[in-house]
Amino acid sequence: MTTVTGGGTPFDARHVARLPTDPGVYLFRSARGEILYVGKAKSLRARVRTYLGQSKGTDIKTRELARQTVDVEVLVVGSEAEALILEANLIKEHQPRFNIQLRDDKKYPYIKVTVNEPFPRAYVTRRVRKDGARYFGPFVSVGRVRRALEVVKRIHGIRSCRYDLPAETPARPCLDHHIGRCAAPCVGLQTQVDYRAMIDQVLRVLSGDVATLQAEVEAGMRKAAAEMDFERAAHLRDVLAGLDGIARQQRVHRVGGGDQDVVGIARDGSVGVAVTLHIRDGVLIGRNTHVMAGVEGEADADLVSRSVSHAYLSSGARAFENLPGEVLLPTTFPDRKVLEGILNSHASRKVSLRIPRRGAKARLLELALANARQALADRVMKGEVPLPRTDDVLYELQDRLSLKVVPRLIVCFDVSHTQGAETVASTVVFENGEPRKSGYRHMRIQGDWGNDDYRSMAEAVRRFFARKVKEQGPLPDLAVIDGGKGQLAAAREALVGLDLSHVALAALAKRQEVVYRPGDPQGLRLPGTARSLHLLQRVRDEAHRFAVRYNRKLRTRRTVRSGLGDIPGVGPRRQQALLSRFGSLRSVREATPAEIGRIPGFSEAMGARILTYLGRP
């Protein structure tokens, strides 16, 4: 590999003319020496020259990159394949701001069996290395994989110690041996041959052959029951239940096909998500997610190329440990054949990058795309990636709901109660797509409606808007109701009663996520990736959170007061004083008579009496 720099000279045609025509990687640097962009090229001179004299037809990001670049550094390599690998590693190391940014969502858990040791161990890990051990996974849930491993270890007696056997040996076996969890190979009570035979069975189970072991355990359970060894029969029954859980988990994610990785992408403005589904023996065993930033103006082919290169070329040897024979892609990209050659070389077998158009493999691709869309929607909703420009979302919401004005001021109502008691309502306000917490309000429903959500919603809407009219404050551009057609009708009736029928109304039902509007009984189903739907969901969920928090607060107060209400001489005022001073019934119990006596209206003797009624000796 050869490195050539511009020596700090400006990024111009004379500089580019000195670049080599070999394949390699180029790095654009700013005046401060910051790496702005890393790219690969079949001919470095020809590729870098394309950034000079960018016309107005080029996207804004590329023009801005060319404007900020004052120096270019190139690294000459021997082939396109080497350039592809080097580019992936340099992007991962430097994270240049003009490149598509990718980050791993998380590392999935694996079961590691150290078959490279004389007396292997089995444990859960998130790091896969080329160290001679056997890895099983990735698994979606670390809790489930730990429980599955616990069942397998309990059946076979895999050692849990970390001794380097047989080099290190303890003086006596540990507790696992005495409770029947290990045959103690550490002190020579189990031979290496027997131990390795047991490990072979474990490997068979982890590879998916659960049925055979289930039959063996069931036969042993029946034999123990026939011999009236009920303790052993009960133990084997529990083991059988654990194995059934492992088998059920395998069946639940069966999607068909053989061994494949399936890539799906979704994008929204400057943010994108790439999802890779890992399918082995027709079973979906895991999913990797990469979040991409700075993708605005990038073609889908660029996103697929970057995500696949990141997944397989910038992760070291571990990326090739469980590489399948086929990777399914939503679209092709220029370096597909080059990347395919790299994967073939590292995996020492044929690996095909395919773009299915029909049949079962196309359906797998649809599954990956659906996962990518859902992952993107989840991250936008959780605030892990930024929403697009607020004005764009509000204009889209205006179009979707056919509103007369852009909904810059949105208010949302929700009702919460506990089996008809402590009924409360919340009101949250969003301005220009962001929460305005100074406008949040909650109220206790005054009417004795019990669990009648419709009448409670009508009261909440009526009281809020009546106050707005009295204060002559600005009315919202859109009022959102957390609920369905019934809640919407109740809110509409309340507004008509206040002569405010012109206020725009919409309701968002939780289960189907259908938007209901007055006069539209069928409802409106917005696309799951619609930014306007994400905003409505965010507003609705915030109102729900605020209502539930207030309901929980009142329920806690009621619990405390009910605990104090049976004490003679402690009426509502004294209950409130105790609650204000100590905050909870538990804190009152932990107080001393002297501390209670210092509250105005109390005495130390009364404090002692209160603690006696509360069960304090």
Side-chain angles (χ1 to χ4, degrees):
M1 182 175 66
T2 306
T3 302
V4 181
T5 67
T9 58
F11 178 59
D12 55 22
R14 290 172 299 173
H15 185 182
V16 174
R18 295 197 299 269
L19 296 179
T21 58
D22 304 287
V25 172
Y26 55 93
L27 296 84
F28 286 165
R29 293 184 181 271
S30 67
R32 296 178 299 177
E34 173 193 6
I35 296 178
L36 301 174
Y37 184 80
V38 174
K40 65 184 180 308
K42 186 176 181 180
S43 169
L44 287 165
R45 183 189 302 171
R47 182 69 183 96
V48 174
R49 182 179 284 125
T50 62
Y51 289 90
L52 291 176
Q54 294 291 345
S55 65
K56 291 184 178 180
T58 310
D59 64 90
I60 296 175
K61 185 174 78 170
T62 303
R63 293 202 302 269
E64 184 63 17
L65 170 62
R67 188 188 69 81
Q68 293 188 28
T69 300
V70 300
D71 194 13
V72 60
E73 175 184 350
V74 299
L75 294 88
V76 179
V77 295
S79 66
E80 289 182 70
E82 292 179 22
L84 192 62
I85 297 172
L86 180 59
E87 181 202 31
N89 288 323
L90 288 175
I91 290 174
K92 182 178 181 182
E93 179 182 354
H94 297 290
Q95 294 287 302
R97 54 193 175 95
F98 280 91
N99 280 96
I100 298 173
Q101 302 296 316
L102 298 101
R103 68 173 188 273
D104 290 345
D105 186 46
K106 66 177 180 178
K107 293 181 180 178
Y108 284 84
Y110 291 76
I111 292 179
K112 178 177 181 178
V113 182
T114 59
V115 293
N116 51 319
E117 297 177 352
F119 293 89
R121 295 168 294 137
Y123 54 89
V124 176
T125 181
R126 292 184 185 269
R127 300 184 65 182
V128 178
R129 297 175 175 175
K130 204 166 187 178
D131 54 5
R134 287 280 303 274
Y135 292 88
F136 298 89
F139 295 90
V140 177
S141 168
V142 69
R144 288 175 180 169
V145 71
R146 289 190 191 281
R147 289 193 292 272
L149 181 59
E150 185 63 25
V151 169
V152 174
K153 292 174 74 172
R154 187 166 66 243
I155 295 169
H156 294 284
I158 302 176
R159 69 186 182 99
S160 58
C161 64
R162 297 186 179 182
Y163 291 115
D164 182 15
L165 302 181
E168 298 177 348
T169 56
R172 58 179 64 88
C174 65
L175 182 62
D176 277 1
H177 172 67
H178 296 291
I179 62 175
R181 298 289 295 272
C182 177
C186 56
V187 293
L189 297 182
Q190 184 181 27
T191 66
Q192 184 175 345
V193 173
D194 289 343
Y195 191 89
R196 295 296 302 213
M198 176 266 293
I199 288 294
D200 289 340
Q201 289 184 325
V202 170
L203 295 176
R204 191 182 67 189
V205 172
L206 294 177
S207 298
D209 185 11
V210 181
T212 303
L213 185 59
Q214 281 179 309
E216 294 175 2
V217 173
E218 187 171 4
M221 180 181 69
R222 296 184 185 280
K223 181 181 178 182
E227 295 174 353
M228 295 188 150
D229 188 353
F230 297 116
E231 184 176 349
R232 175 166 173 74
H235 168 72
L236 293 175
R237 179 202 60 203
D238 294 340
V239 168
L240 192 64
L243 287 172
D244 185 58
I246 296 174
R248 187 166 56 252
Q249 182 64 21
Q250 290 175 345
R251 289 194 301 269
V252 118
H253 292 100
R254 182 165 291 279
V255 294
D259 289 357
Q260 290 122 349
D261 282 355
V262 190
V263 178
I265 61 168
R267 58 194 303 165
D268 192 344
S270 63
V271 179
V273 166
V275 165
T276 303
L277 302 181
H278 302 289
I279 299 171
R280 301 296 181 267
D281 292 326
V283 176
L284 176 60
I285 62 172
R287 185 185 87 172
N288 285 340
T289 304
H290 305 302
V291 179
M292 300 178 281
V295 303
E296 197 166 7
E298 301 284 348
D300 285 352
D302 295 329
L303 270 61
V304 173
S305 173
R306 183 68 61 224
S307 60
V308 174
S309 297
H310 174 83
Y312 297 116
L313 302 184
S314 62
S315 302
R318 67 184 178 88
F320 306 104
E321 283 286 327
N322 295 304
L323 191 65
E326 197 172 50
V327 179
L328 306 182
L329 307 173
T331 186
T332 189
F333 52 91
D335 299 309
R336 182 163 68 95
K337 290 298 181 183
V338 176
L339 179 59
E340 198 173 67
I342 296 172
L343 298 182
N344 287 335
S345 174
H346 282 79
S348 300
R349 63 180 184 277
K350 183 173 177 56
V351 178
S352 300
L353 303 183
R354 301 186 185 279
I355 300 90
R357 301 300 183 192
R358 61 182 64 87
K361 293 178 181 178
R363 289 192 291 273
L364 289 178
L365 192 59
E366 281 296 325
L367 179 63
L369 294 174
N371 272 266
R373 288 192 289 267
Q374 184 59 49
L376 178 60
D378 290 345
R379 278 151 184 77
V380 171
M381 286 296 298
K382 293 176 183 177
E384 295 177 9
V385 296
L387 284 167
R389 289 182 62 240
T390 302
D391 282 352
D392 294 343
V393 180
L394 296 180
Y395 286 133
E396 180 186 307
L397 183 59
Q398 180 188 20
D399 292 338
R400 297 276 191 185
L401 302 187
S402 301
L403 303 176
K404 293 182 179 180
V405 297
V406 179
R408 298 195 179 278
L409 189 64
I410 301 175
V411 63
C412 186
F413 298 88
D414 186 30
V415 171
S416 179
H417 59 81
T418 306
Q419 296 179 345
E422 307 293 358
T423 305
V424 301
S426 70
T427 307
V428 300
V429 177
F430 273 58
E431 189 171 12
N432 288 322
E434 295 298 326
R436 194 183 77 189
K437 296 197 174 182
S438 61
Y440 284 21
R441 297 290 184 271
H442 53 232
M443 64 183 79
R444 300 188 68 168
I445 296 301
Q446 296 172 348
D448 188 16
W449 316 131
N451 58 1
D452 189 336
D453 287 349
Y454 301 157
R455 300 178 72 178
S456 297
M457 181 63 73
E459 178 184 329
V461 172
R462 183 173 57 253
R463 286 171 59 184
F464 174 84
F465 279 96
R467 182 174 181 178
K468 285 295 179 184
V469 171
K470 182 178 180 180
E471 296 175 348
Q472 296 184 342
L475 296 177
D477 302 311
L478 174 65
V480 180
I481 307 301
D482 184 356
K485 290 184 283 188
Q487 287 87 347
L488 178 68
R492 176 70 175 170
E493 184 179 346
L495 287 176
V496 170
L498 294 171
D499 198 22
L500 295 175
S501 57
H502 60 280
V503 174
L505 262 180
L508 184 60
K510 280 191 180 69
R511 284 188 180 177
Q512 295 84 15
E513 302 290 24
V514 177
V515 180
Y516 292 103
R517 296 165 294 172
D520 180 17
Q522 299 301 319
L524 176 66
R525 292 183 180 273
L526 300 180
T529 57
R531 299 172 296 179
S532 51
L533 176 62
H534 298 163
L535 177 58
L536 287 177
Q537 290 170 327
R538 188 178 171 206
V539 172
R540 186 268 316 277
D541 293 346
E542 180 69 354
H544 180 72
R545 180 196 66 81
F546 197 55
V548 169
R549 190 179 73 172
Y550 185 47
N551 173 265
R552 189 178 295 122
K553 180 180 179 181
L554 295 182
R555 193 165 68 244
T556 301
R557 286 183 178 178
R558 178 162 57 89
T559 301
V560 173
R561 286 174 178 165
S562 63
L564 299 171
D566 296 334
I567 303 175
V570 180
R573 289 188 178 180
R574 282 178 169 160
Q575 292 173 29
Q576 181 61 44
L578 285 168
L579 180 61
S580 300
R581 171 64 180 83
F582 296 105
S584 68
L585 188 61
R586 179 180 178 181
S587 296
V588 174
R589 285 196 183 99
E590 294 174 351
T592 64
E595 289 173 335
I596 297 175
R598 285 195 286 270
I599 302 175
F602 289 78
S603 65
E604 191 169 336
M606 181 179 289
R609 188 168 71 251
I610 289 172
L611 293 176
T612 299
Y613 270 91
L614 293 178
R616 274 277 299 274

